[in-house]
Amino acid sequence: MNKRTAVIAAMLALAATPGAAQESAKIGFVGTFSGPAAVIGNDMRDGFELALDHLGRKVGGLPAQVIYEDDQQKPEVGKQKTDKLISSDRVNFLTGYIWSNVLLASLKPAVDAQTFLISANAGPSQIAGELCSPWFFSVSWQGDQVPQAIGEYLNQKGVKSAFLIAPNYAAGKDVIAGLKQNFKGTVAGEEYTKWPDQLDFSVELAKARAAKPDAVFAFYPGAAGIQFLTQYTQAGLKYTAFVIDALSLPRLGELALGIPGAQHWVSDLPNEANKKFVADFRAKYGRYPSFYAAQAYDSAKLIDSAVAGVKGDLGNKDAIRDEMRKANYASVRGPYRYGNNHFPIQNFYLQETVKDADGAYTLKTVATALKDHQDRYHAQCVMK
């Protein structure tokens, strides 16, 4: 064997060694970066980028290469982008995924390719239950859990009847199911609207007014939430929930005051990781982060913890999974743990809109609504 042949053989042997570390970690981020919902995707991207800044643009010591793809809020496009990230870009991790219908369309390609998918928002009941997978993790919540917290709040307030309105897609149905799970009062009516095109809710609001409920519960993220709450206020109704976040607050202003909500994360949570995240986000971007940004931030930190735990050996996927199951990082929500279906077991907090010292609208933690709460679908999950 000559010298050149020996060098080539040594290089091939190194490449074949199971513990050999890659030069970089490739992450595919699928979100909505065009149209009205781009405000959510951009906020998530900003949160993810801030996490990379805090990590020195590395995950687990490896340089991070991130490829952002626009799903255009369409399931078929999201699946195409997921396929492309897996087959062409050969990413090690997938994350992002705002919408439940996009995530459901994209899950099978990721599972078939044995590529880890970390949802930074969507949490459909199917994936928490029968479609659970060892290749899937959530850093947010299962879609029923936040409205379950709202249901508890309505009970505490003595609300006897509620009218329910949500968009007609997977997340909307999960949210309504979650509210019903905990709310002990009467459902005075239930309406599902066209998604994502419908922005006129006058018919549904007229039905709600005619039903004369004690409360109206609504789920509308992004621009739809702003439009709904504006029309809702004009209709003279007196109560809603689940449409307020840091993205809508600057446009809603006074309309948001007094309207309760719930989340697993609020910007004023007192842990050190969250204080740094909120302060640095505001310094870099000039606004408060939303829970979308907080979840995207945590998805980067989860990936970092897993890659660090395996010392950069991205080929050791079983060990990476074991590391992610530990949730061994400083989450901005505070410590949490994973259930058997890879969804967080965590607290949920009641929140309300207030003005800060500078006159800006923000959300304030009011109380803990659910403590160490696990989603109600985990018993249907059998990992394969």
Side-chain angles (χ1 to χ4, degrees), residues 15 18 126 132 142 218 234 268 318 320 337 346 354 371 382:
Q126 297 94 324
C132 69
Q142 192 281 314
Q234 293 169 350
D268 64 353
D318 289 342
I320 289 174
R337 66 187 192 278
Q346 59 191 336
V354 297
K371 187 172 180 59
V382 179

Side-chain angles (χ1 to χ4, degrees), residues 12 39 68 72 92 133 138 153 161 178 198 205 213 226 255 257 263 273 282 298 324 336-337 351 365-366 369:
L12 289 173
V39 63
Y68 293 98
Q72 301 173 34
N92 305 107
S133 170
S138 166
Y153 177 79
S161 64
Q198 181 175 339
L205 288 170
I226 296 172
L255 293 179
L257 293 175
Q263 261 301 339
R282 294 189 71 191
D298 268 6
M324 282 200 284
Y336 71 93
R337 66 187 192 278
Q351 60 187 30
T365 303
V366 177

Side-chain angles (χ1 to χ4, degrees), residues 218-239:
F219 164 63
Y220 284 102
I226 296 172
Q227 187 69 11
F228 177 85
L229 190 58
T230 301
Q231 293 180 22
Y232 174 94
T233 303
Q234 293 169 350
L237 300 175
K238 62 183 180 179
Y239 191 97

